[in-house]
Amino acid sequence: MASLVAIQPKQPSFSLLPSSNSDFNGARLISSFQYKRKPCLSKGALQVTASSEKKILIMGGTRFIGVFLSRLLVKEGHQVTLFTRGKAPISQQLPGESDQDYADFSSKLLHLKGDRMDFDFVKSSLSAEGYDVVYDINGREATEVEPILDALPNLEQYIYCSSAGVYLKTDYLPHFEVDAGDPKSRHKGKLETESLLVSRDVNWTSLRPVYIYGPLNYNPVEEWFFHRLKAGRPIPIPNSGMQITQLGHVKDLAKAFVQVLGNEKASKQVFNISGEKYVTFDGLAKACAKAGGFPEPELVHYNPKEFDFGKKKAFPFRDQHFFTSIEKSKAELGWKPDFDLVEGLTDSYNLDFGRGTFRKAADFSTDDMILEKKLVPQS
């Protein structure tokens, strides 16, 4: 039988020095990773209560989404276990999180160490523990999910983190949950996983976020803009810059994951989860500048077809209109985002990049290729 280990508090992984660009006071920082339901509460003080205490397994959970989700679930009184390979610390103190809050959280968090690709181990360890609910945050292929379902025949709910990237490209936007999927998408494994869940006798819920942003983001979404803004560089944006996209804050996504737990309206349903409003690429660059307290940036538009960037990615978003409707989530779950875009980007900047922490070092090599052509900046 696999052993479960309670996690003891460790020293913070972040530098907690105050940011000169931050307008968050200490009280705001301490409450910033929580959630709210009523305007009179600080941003984030969400109170979502499932019907009863659950024994929950989170597949993954140490990098981004799971960091915030696990805190909400522990706070609600659930027994939470993270299944990881153990290569990264199971918990880390968040910027602005008090020592006491972190100690309370980390002392209750359990860890099941293993490789989810070792299907025999997954089956034996999970069947021995008998979890009520599984949150699959890092699953990419249907073959990774089958052993979990086999191991837990009495599973109450399988909650899956899918992606809006499964939708087939269309001229008719926004994407709705009933829209066709793209079997050739790089996210086709997630689409196949949803199909597997439909085919199995299991209560499931699938959330499809668009672009996720927020503190600890390991994808270069807002960080890509912040690097250029900090360096005082022009921001190269493909084509007209009027392409429309959509971002959702990680804390709003975590809140949605909690709200589907034990929710009858979420049974065997797919929900798009993202921000309330859409934004152009140009608008996003300006919003990032506003969030970080930078001057409005110089934007340089270019035609990607005129360049050979090799394997490097010159821009962090797909060069197309890409956004979804979140009306189903709002109507059926009673969920809505707490963060508007600038407010959410400010939260991300002040709790992460503005403190000198980021996932990837700045690389301006593709920018230099574009700027060397001396294109005329457009407003």
Side-chain angles (χ1 to χ4, degrees), residues 176-200:
F176 290 88
E177 289 86 349
V178 295
D179 287 355
D182 182 359
K184 297 181 180 179
S185 161
R186 71 182 184 90
H187 298 286
K188 65 180 181 179
K190 289 185 177 290
L191 195 61
E192 292 166 353
T193 298
E194 291 179 342
S195 296
L196 171 68
L197 293 171
V198 170
S199 70
R200 297 286 294 257

Side-chain angles (χ1 to χ4, degrees), residues 273-326:
I273 300 293
S274 195
E276 189 91 55
K277 287 193 172 184
Y278 313 135
V279 64
T280 64
F281 289 168
D282 282 4
L284 178 55
K286 295 173 184 177
C288 286
K290 187 174 182 180
F294 297 102
E296 186 166 308
E298 176 186 352
L299 307 181
V300 175
H301 297 88
Y302 65 96
N303 182 354
K305 294 180 180 180
E306 296 179 355
F307 298 88
D308 179 7
F309 298 121
K311 294 183 178 180
K312 290 191 174 183
K313 196 173 182 179
F315 192 69
F317 294 82
R318 55 180 69 187
D319 185 13
Q320 65 182 68
H321 297 308
F322 180 50
F323 52 97
T324 68
S325 168
I326 60 171

